[in-house]
């Protein structure tokens, strides 16, 4: 395996590895522990030496095949690689060309599969994957925006990472849920806000409103509601006529979110926070400028929010 580091031996090693894809599954299972160890070594040590897209395709197929049977070995190899070899923003992306885009993209895809439990429906590594996925994506984004190709942000991958963080937030572990939401909030608000299209923002918001954290998890519920309202304010100045329908539906779901949050009355922790965030959102919308062609949709949204606040005020007064 270590011969893959040598220029004169690399293609020979890769040719032998390709043969592993052709052997019967029962034989592969019998040797998968050793193959997985070898793949972990390659991922950790040899990334900078792989520059051919076909080689990365091979590595990806073998990582997937091994992860079905020995996920922990592959997880350790991939995360060790990210932790020690992927440049970071804090480090100024030193040696930023040491891993090509295809390699970094493959690593992100493998980490996404661990987060979503794609390998054998195993979610035990989901939370542990989050910081490595965030770091790997950050480097990948650097390659997209500041690399020689300047290809621009991959919004589909950005959405996939956002969904991955949110999937952990929806789990049964309250601590993991809070942690995942903190990462999600930082991910979507601290990175590339101006580069993301309204369509992608709406796609993210649909996911946040269709599936919501349990009412038992007060902090995650509040954080997601607050995030949704902040995203509304990001979207409004960019909203186009063609997106008004989706925007209106999301607004309706946010109103429903409020109704869920306040259903237990003023003494519940979610009540005051929800009222305060919604009030602030209505006040900020009133100060925003936007295209006249979408003004009706935005006024309807603001009216729906204000109407809900009025209802809350009446109910509180009657009490």
């Amino acid at each position: 395996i270590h011969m893959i580091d040598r220029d004169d031996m690399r293609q020979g090693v890769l040719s032998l590895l390709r043969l592993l894809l052709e052997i019967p599954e029962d034989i592969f299972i019998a040797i998968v522990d050793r193959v997985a160890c070898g793949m972990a070594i390659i991922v950790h040590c040899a990334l900078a030496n792989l520059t051919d897209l076909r080689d990365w395709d091979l590595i990806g197929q073998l990582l997937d095949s091994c992860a079905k049977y020995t996920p922990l070995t592959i997880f350790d190899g991939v995360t060790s690689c990210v932790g020690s070899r992927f440049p970071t923003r804090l480090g100024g992306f030193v040696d930023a060309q040491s891993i090509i885009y295809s390699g970094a993209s493959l690593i992100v895809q493998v980490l996404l599969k661990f987060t979503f439990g794609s390998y054998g429906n195993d979610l035990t590594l989901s939370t542990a994957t989050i910081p490595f996925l965030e770091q790997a994506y950050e480097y990948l984004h650097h390659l997209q925006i500041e690399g020689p190709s300047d290809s621009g942000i991959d919004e589909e991958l950005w959405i996939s990472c956002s969904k991955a963080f949110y999937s952990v937030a929806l789990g049964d572990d309250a601590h993991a849920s809070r942690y995942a939401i903190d990462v999600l909030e930082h991910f979507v608000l601290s990175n590339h806000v101006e580069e993301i299209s309204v369509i992608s923002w709406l796609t993210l918001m649909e996911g946040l409103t269709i599936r919501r954290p349990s009412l038992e998890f007060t902090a995650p519920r509040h954080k997601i509601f607050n995030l949704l309202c902040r995203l509304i304010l990001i979207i409004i100045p960019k909203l186009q006529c063609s997106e008004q329908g989706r925007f209106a539906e999301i607004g309706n779901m946010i109103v429903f979110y409020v109704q869920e949050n306040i259903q237990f009355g003023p003494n519940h922790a979610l009540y005051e926070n929800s009222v305060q965030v919604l009030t602030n959102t209505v006040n900020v919308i009133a100060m925003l400028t936007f295209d006249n062609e979408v003004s009706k949709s935005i006024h309807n949204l603001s009216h729906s929010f204000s109407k809900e606040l009025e209802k809350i005020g009446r109910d509180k007064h009657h009490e």
Side-chain angles (χ1 to χ4, degrees), residues 106-307:
L106 172 66
I107 295 300
V108 170
Q109 294 293 346
V110 171
L111 291 170
L112 281 170
K113 290 175 183 177
F114 276 115
T115 310
F116 285 122
S118 300
Y119 297 122
N121 294 318
D122 183 1
L123 292 168
T124 56
L125 297 172
S126 294
T127 304
T129 304
I130 286 179
F132 300 102
L133 176 58
E134 186 180 25
Q135 181 181 344
Y137 178 86
E138 185 177 72
Y139 173 57
L140 187 63
H141 177 261
H142 167 76
L143 293 181
Q144 291 170 322
I145 301 302
E146 301 180 34
S149 62
D150 189 20
S151 58
I153 190 170
D154 182 341
E155 293 194 34
E156 185 176 345
L157 189 60
W158 178 84
I159 290 172
S160 293
C161 290
S162 300
K163 288 181 177 178
F165 299 139
Y166 192 51
S167 70
V168 177
L170 292 172
D172 296 331
D173 185 322
H175 176 74
S177 179
R178 288 193 297 271
Y179 167 62
I181 289 177
D182 286 341
V183 172
L184 172 66
E185 186 175 35
H186 175 268
F187 182 77
V188 301
L189 294 177
S190 300
N191 294 293
H192 346 303
V193 169
E194 294 304 320
E195 302 162 26
I196 303 300
S197 68
V198 173
I199 292 176
S200 292
W201 284 120
L202 292 174
T203 299
L204 171 62
M205 294 179 72
E206 285 171 342
L208 298 180
T209 54
I210 291 172
R211 299 180 64 204
R212 300 174 293 283
S214 168
L215 284 164
E216 297 175 4
F217 294 171
T218 301
R221 288 278 305 194
H222 172 62
K223 282 180 173 289
I224 292 299
F225 178 67
N226 184 57
L227 178 59
L228 283 165
C229 289
R230 293 178 72 178
L231 296 183
I232 283 284
L233 301 178
I234 289 173
I235 287 173
I236 282 177
K238 306 177 181 181
L239 190 65
Q240 302 295 318
C241 288
S242 59
E243 296 141 357
Q244 291 183 93
R246 293 178 73 189
F247 180 76
E249 286 297 322
I250 289 169
N252 292 337
M253 290 300 295
I254 292 176
V255 170
F256 182 68
Y257 207 128
V258 175
Q259 292 169 347
E260 284 187 326
N261 283 357
I262 66 171
Q263 64 182 297
F264 299 114
N267 294 326
H268 194 277
L270 283 172
Y271 186 98
E272 196 62 40
N273 287 332
S274 300
V275 172
Q276 181 179 0
V277 170
L278 194 63
T279 301
N280 291 340
T281 303
V282 170
N283 291 338
V284 174
I285 290 175
M287 296 185 291
L288 291 177
T289 58
F290 41 82
D291 193 317
N292 286 333
E293 292 183 352
V294 298
S295 60
K296 184 177 180 180
S297 294
I298 296 170
H299 287 312
N300 287 342
L301 175 73
S302 182
H303 177 71
S304 295
F305 287 178
S306 298
K307 190 175 180 180

Side-chain angles (χ1 to χ4, degrees), residues 68-107:
K68 293 177 184 177
Y69 306 106
T70 57
L72 188 57
T73 302
I74 299 302
F75 176 82
D76 287 343
V78 170
T79 55
S80 176
C81 164
V82 173
S84 62
R85 299 293 301 279
F86 273 50
T88 64
R89 188 185 305 275
L90 292 176
F93 292 112
V94 177
D95 298 328
Q97 299 306 314
S98 61
I99 304 168
I100 67 171
Y101 177 85
S102 296
S105 179
L106 172 66
I107 295 300

